[in-house]
Amino acid sequence: MPTTRAQRATAAVAAGAAATVLAPAFVGPAAQTKLSAVTSAPAPVATSAPASGVGAGASILGAGAAALAATAAVRPNKRCAKKDKVVRLATATEVDVDTECINAIRFLAVDAVNKANSGHPGAPMGQAPIGYLLFAEEMQYNPEDPKWVNRDRFVLSSGHGCMLQYSLLHLAGYDSVSIDDIKQFRQWGSKTPGHPENFETDGIEVKLDCNEQVFSSSFRNLGTTGPLGMGISNAVGLAAAEAHLAAVYNKPGMELIDHYTYTIAGDGCMQEGISHEACAYAGHLGLGKLIAFYDDNGITIDGHTDLSFTEDVGKRFEGYGWQVLEVPEGNTDVDAIRKAIKEAKACTDKPTLIKVKTTIGFGSPNKADSHDAHGTPLGADEAEATRKQLGWNYGEFEVPDQVYDTFRKHAKAGSEKQAAWNKMWKEYQEKEPELAAQFQRAVMDRKLPDNWTDALPKVTPEDKGKATRLHSQDCLNAIANVLPEFMGGSADLAPSNMTLMKCTGDFLKDSYSERNMRFGIREFGMGAVSNALSLDKTGIIPYCATFTIFTDYMRGAIRIAALSQAGTIFVTTHDSIAVGEDGPTHQPIETIPSLRLIPDLTVMRPADGNETAGAYKYAVERSKNESRPTMMAFSRQAVDNLPNSSIENTLKGAYEVIECEKPELILIGTGSEVGLCVDAAKKLDKKVRVVSMPSCEVYREQPDSYKSKLLPADVPKMSVEAACTAGWGEFADAFVGIDVFGASAPGGTCLDKFGFNVDNVVSCAERCLSGETGVLSNGSQGKH
């Protein structure tokens, strides 16, 4: 019976393929003879490689590299020592395939950053050996089909070093990154922006992270990227997706899902708190097919990391439940990295962190091991000196044929693996027709089943009102029954968010097939993991939940969901000062208006059961069909069901709850305040139209004819929302809101004291009718 890739890796280690103690740099006699060329030497000649594409002495990158490594290994006092400017020269001429390929990666990065006069050359120069091994030996991928469902995933968490990934994609044969694209690095309209963007460039799995603070004026900035650490956190989500789909669909001898997730993270990633959240979660889950490389180069923008970062990262990850391996000489000892990867694959019940000691800007005589190589180009003179130092006898953007041959050979092997997978898929369809049909629809076609919305609950005004978080629970469970690809959970708030699915169990180490994810108190990590479940492009519809106020903890992940086109459904509850006794720390007066400012994020604040069902219909279809995020805010307190509310009307973004042909006044409410508007309208001795606006974003997309009819310009309009009044000037003339922090008291008392009662709304409406505009009630009357 065929074995899985993890089983094969385990067997290899058992047979002695990987040592438990990693070899030091330059193992074997070839260390003295496999040397990089000096500038006076003839052009390098590629050595013949075995079928694997690597030579027996592949760990040897040259005497010049050895000297560089030796110098980097003995660092002076980092705070006050002068920069090492010793010129270290090589003495021989033979160059092996590893050296040629690794240096090709380095110099594509150096040349691209120099040409753009902007970027980060140092990280790609140090990480090149890791990238080479992954893309030329280890990873399973097919450039002709970048979205092949069983491809290995790669995330460059230190995304500022993106020229590493662009170089790798180009060398591997991805059409999305030509040599001309590399020459257009960071230029307007290029496929190689300053930080990789999954929606721009095939081969990029997720929107990557940055830590730079100054951008060139020529930088094509499609939106500021997320914080460092989000990439490795996304990798956790990709690995979780693999574990879930494998558990659901794999059958003996037919492993439809059997791939690894690799990520390279840097010192900045390790310092950001999000990496703690997500990596602790990964260790808890035991995600054995997650392999993270820690590029331990000891440099950030400020300088050497010992200025602020001296913790033992390895022990930290061991505490998370990871396997931790070390490669002490990552600049040159390629065999040690190979052995570490084999050992990582052999460990099937834990994720693995491979701590690789590298030198930022490796090969640069004057800028290596300094922050000078971090965020600025080497410059023409230093690039030439680096060429001499590493024996690179090629011009700018010149790549030897043997380098392309090595990468393309491995890419071709990936194509052959996909062909074998296609054959297995055909057999699977014959033997497992029911699961195959589900896999085809949900995972490969990424389509929703016909008539799935029939499962959504519907209410009438006569039905007893309840909190919209309870309506959300009804919808969520209805969806879970008909969409097996729907999965998610909350940040330790499931009983309050009402987000547990009753038809499935908990997604844990021994139960990956289940769908309730227990994220723990890790909002930021939860958001990044959930985004990756969508960006895995296997049809998963992810949701994650917390209190509305705690979206501040994961705002970076929400923003990146919108920017990277991740179809995450952010479910939030306790959406206003009606939270009550917990007080202003938990009362999100500014949160919802601020979230509405994020481009491409749809915010939904339903007013009753039908609007909640409509919000879920919108969010699920937006996630599955468009891979776009939705943020939903639900009430803690009960609300009445409204006349005219329906799924269809919700999908207009705004509609008439109380119809009026020729209104003298229009009251616009959202969420729990719509019912308040209805009650106030009954007390006004005027013709009043009441409009519910569950989503400003959806309303904006409606035809102008509809919008001008619903909210005519010549009729005074007043908004009522238990939130800051900012933003309502787009739709209304006058505003009732709360522009002050709330207070600790029962929820009903808070609403009344801050002006969300019928008498105050009526009074403000009369002032609006008399011509007053702007903020008519801002909650300040409730301060005590």
Side-chain angles (χ1 to χ4, degrees):
M1 181 177 71
T3 57
T4 65
R5 296 173 70 196
Q7 290 168 334
R8 291 193 292 272
T10 305
V13 170
T20 55
V21 179
L22 297 178
F26 306 106
V27 174
Q32 305 305 316
T33 58
K34 283 268 187 169
L35 306 176
S36 58
V38 292
T39 56
S40 61
V45 179
T47 59
S48 59
S52 64
V54 296
S59 67
I60 314 307
L61 297 188
L68 284 168
T71 304
V74 184
R75 291 176 177 165
N77 184 295
K78 296 174 182 176
R79 291 177 185 257
C80 58
K82 293 181 180 180
K83 192 186 307 174
D84 174 21
K85 294 187 178 181
V86 178
V87 177
R88 292 148 291 191
L89 296 178
T91 59
T93 61
E94 186 179 4
V95 177
D96 64 11
V97 174
D98 288 359
T99 304
E100 201 87 318
C101 291
I102 291 168
N103 282 339
I105 297 166
R106 288 173 173 148
F107 284 99
L108 282 175
V110 168
D111 294 341
V113 172
N114 270 353
K115 187 175 186 297
N117 195 29
S118 174
H120 299 71
M125 296 170 75
Q127 296 168 359
I130 302 171
Y132 160 64
L133 287 178
L134 290 179
F135 276 77
E137 293 186 16
E138 292 293 339
M139 283 179 53
Q140 175 175 276
Y141 63 88
N142 180 9
E144 296 177 1
D145 185 5
K147 299 303 182 185
W148 174 34
V149 70
N150 201 39
R151 69 194 181 280
D152 285 341
R153 271 61 167 176
F154 173 73
V155 179
L156 183 62
S157 189
S158 49
H160 56 278
C162 57
M163 267 311 307
L164 172 76
Q165 191 161 8
Y166 294 146
S167 299
L168 293 169
L169 292 174
H170 169 67
L171 295 173
Y174 282 80
D175 291 339
S176 54
V177 184
S178 67
I179 195 69
D180 288 334
D181 291 320
I182 287 179
K183 292 178 181 178
Q184 290 299 306
F185 179 55
R186 289 186 166 225
Q187 304 309 302
W188 184 270
S190 78
K191 294 295 183 182
T192 50
H195 292 81
E197 291 159 341
N198 56 299
F199 53 88
E200 286 289 335
T201 310
D202 283 342
I204 305 297
E205 299 288 353
V206 300
K207 174 72 176 171
L208 299 180
D209 314 324
C210 79
N211 66 346
E212 67 185 71
Q213 297 175 17
V214 180
F215 296 89
S216 161
S217 61
S218 63
F219 173 39
R220 175 179 172 275
N221 184 11
L222 292 186
T224 307
T225 55
L228 278 163
M230 192 171 292
I232 192 172
S233 303
N234 289 155
V236 173
L238 296 175
E242 192 278 341
H244 174 68
L245 295 173
V248 171
Y249 292 107
N250 286 359
K251 295 296 178 182
M254 296 184 292
E255 288 80 24
L256 292 182
I257 302 296
D258 181 20
H259 59 259
Y260 288 88
T261 299
Y262 299 94
T263 182
I264 300 176
D267 289 301
C269 300
M270 295 305 169
Q271 293 177 57
E272 287 286 358
I274 186 175
S275 68
H276 158 72
E277 295 184 22
C279 292
Y281 183 54
H284 170 71
L285 293 176
L287 297 174
K289 288 188 176 178
L290 173 60
I291 301 175
F293 296 87
Y294 169 26
D295 176 27
D296 180 17
N297 65 36
I299 295 290
T300 58
I301 289 176
D302 276 354
H304 284 89
T305 53
D306 63 359
L307 291 168
S308 59
F309 185 57
T310 54
E311 69 187 50
D312 190 324
V313 173
K315 288 182 179 178
R316 170 181 149 196
F317 273 73
E318 286 176 351
Y320 294 157
W322 288 53
Q323 174 184 227
V324 178
L325 307 174
E326 292 194 24
V327 176
E329 181 41 71
N331 301 309
T332 58
D333 196 353
V334 181
D335 272 344
I337 303 174
R338 283 192 181 98
K339 291 176 182 178
I341 294 172
K342 289 180 181 178
E343 191 170 347
K345 288 185 173 182
C347 181
T348 60
D349 63 343
K350 293 180 180 181
T352 295
L353 179 76
I354 303 176
K355 185 179 179 183
V356 186
K357 197 67 179 175
T358 68
T359 302
I360 193 169
F362 180 80
S364 171
N366 301 296
K367 295 189 177 182
D369 192 30
S370 76
H371 70 276
D372 292 336
H374 177 83
T376 57
L378 293 187
D381 291 344
E382 188 67 11
E384 181 60 27
T386 305
R387 279 178 157 79
K388 292 178 180 179
Q389 185 79 5
L390 294 179
W392 186 250
N393 299 318
Y394 301 96
E396 290 186 352
F397 301 105
E398 185 178 355
V399 178
D401 289 342
Q402 59 265 32
V403 172
Y404 283 119
D405 292 343
T406 300
F407 279 89
R408 305 294 166 89
K409 181 178 180 180
H410 184 68
K412 183 179 179 183
S415 176
E416 292 168 354
K417 288 178 181 178
Q418 183 174 3
W421 186 93
N422 290 337
K423 184 177 179 181
M424 177 184 64
W425 167 234
K426 185 175 181 181
E427 178 187 359
Y428 189 98
Q429 290 173 294
E430 295 171 353
K431 294 183 177 180
E432 299 287 343
E434 186 174 341
L435 270 179
Q438 178 176 301
F439 188 86
Q440 181 72 53
R441 177 197 63 77
V443 178
M444 296 184 72
D445 295 341
R446 301 198 295 274
K447 292 183 178 178
L448 292 164
D450 294 337
N451 304 319
W452 74 272
T453 56
D454 292 347
L456 291 172
K458 299 178 180 61
V459 298
T460 68
E462 291 71 38
D463 293 325
K464 184 179 180 181
K466 58 185 180 182
T468 52
R469 65 171 174 162
L470 296 176
H471 288 300
S472 170
Q473 180 184 42
D474 295 340
C475 292
L476 189 147
N477 275 279
I479 293 167
N481 286 326
V482 296
L483 297 182
E485 63 266 47
F486 187 65
M487 66 185 299
S490 81
D492 195 55
L493 288 170
S496 295
N497 296 146
M498 306 297 179
T499 49
L500 276 182
M501 293 177 282
K502 299 175 183 177
C503 65
T504 183
D506 293 329
F507 177 81
L508 296 171
K509 187 172 184 177
D510 297 319
S511 54
Y512 291 140
S513 62
E514 306 299 333
R515 294 185 278 149
N516 282 310
M517 304 184 80
R518 302 289 192 163
F519 289 108
I521 308 168
R522 305 181 178 109
E523 283 88 355
F524 200 2
M526 172 180 72
V529 168
S530 298
N531 288 347
L533 293 176
S534 174
L535 294 173
D536 192 56
K537 301 304 179 187
T538 47
I540 293 173
I541 303 171
Y543 71 91
C544 61
T546 186
F547 287 171
T548 305
I549 191 67
F550 297 153
T551 58
D552 284 346
Y553 282 125
M554 62 174 176
R555 190 178 184 89
I558 297 173
R559 187 175 188 276
I560 289 297
L563 178 55
S564 65
Q565 300 177 9
T568 306
I569 301 173
F570 297 96
V571 177
T572 76
T573 66
H574 298 61
D575 66 343
S576 74
I577 56 172
V579 169
E581 291 87 348
D582 279 333
T585 60
H586 282 51
Q587 294 170 2
I589 57 109
E590 83 287 5
T591 308
I592 294 171
S594 69
L595 288 167
R596 289 177 180 142
L597 296 175
I598 298 177
D600 293 327
L601 176 70
T602 298
V603 178
M604 286 277 189
R605 189 166 182 243
D608 74 349
N610 289 332
E611 286 194 9
T612 302
Y616 269 103
K617 180 183 188 301
Y618 177 91
V620 167
E621 291 179 346
R622 182 169 161 85
S623 174
K624 190 77 170 188
N625 300 337
E626 302 176 41
S627 191
R628 304 275 183 162
T630 304
M631 209 289 296
M632 299 199 283
F634 298 116
S635 73
R636 179 194 186 197
Q637 76 276 22
V639 294
D640 291 332
N641 295 311
L642 302 169
N644 293 322
S645 71
S646 66
I647 291 175
E648 294 73 23
N649 277 336
T650 304
L651 299 180
K652 298 174 184 176
Y655 65 96
E656 286 184 274
V657 171
I658 300 296
E659 297 173 333
C660 183
E661 184 63 29
K662 294 182 179 181
E664 298 172 83
L665 174 70
I666 299 174
L667 297 178
I668 308 169
T670 73
S672 52
E673 288 73 71
V674 177
L676 174 59
C677 290
V678 171
D679 292 341
K682 294 175 181 176
K683 285 201 167 187
L684 284 164
D685 187 24
K686 297 289 182 179
K687 297 174 65 176
V688 180
R689 174 183 294 169
V690 177
V691 169
S692 175
M693 187 176 285
S695 175
C696 302
E697 297 80 14
V698 176
Y699 174 70
R700 289 192 191 104
E701 296 173 356
Q702 302 310 306
D704 289 341
S705 58
Y706 176 77
K707 291 187 287 187
S708 62
K709 183 177 180 181
L710 182 68
L711 300 177
D714 59 349
V715 177
K717 295 169 285 292
M718 188 178 80
S719 65
V720 182
E721 184 176 47
C724 286
T725 56
W728 277 108
E730 179 181 354
F731 309 107
D733 307 298
F735 328 118
V736 172
I738 177 169
D739 294 325
V740 298
F741 288 116
S744 177
T749 301
C750 286
L751 289 171
D752 181 59
K753 294 292 186 180
F754 286 105
F756 296 95
N757 55 62
V758 171
D759 288 344
N760 186 55
V761 172
V762 168
S763 174
C764 291
E766 290 172 343
R767 292 165 60 192
C768 180
L769 280 165
S770 68
E772 289 192 49
T773 61
V775 179
L776 303 185
S777 177
N778 66 0
S780 58
Q781 67 269 36
K783 297 307 288 182
H784 58 281

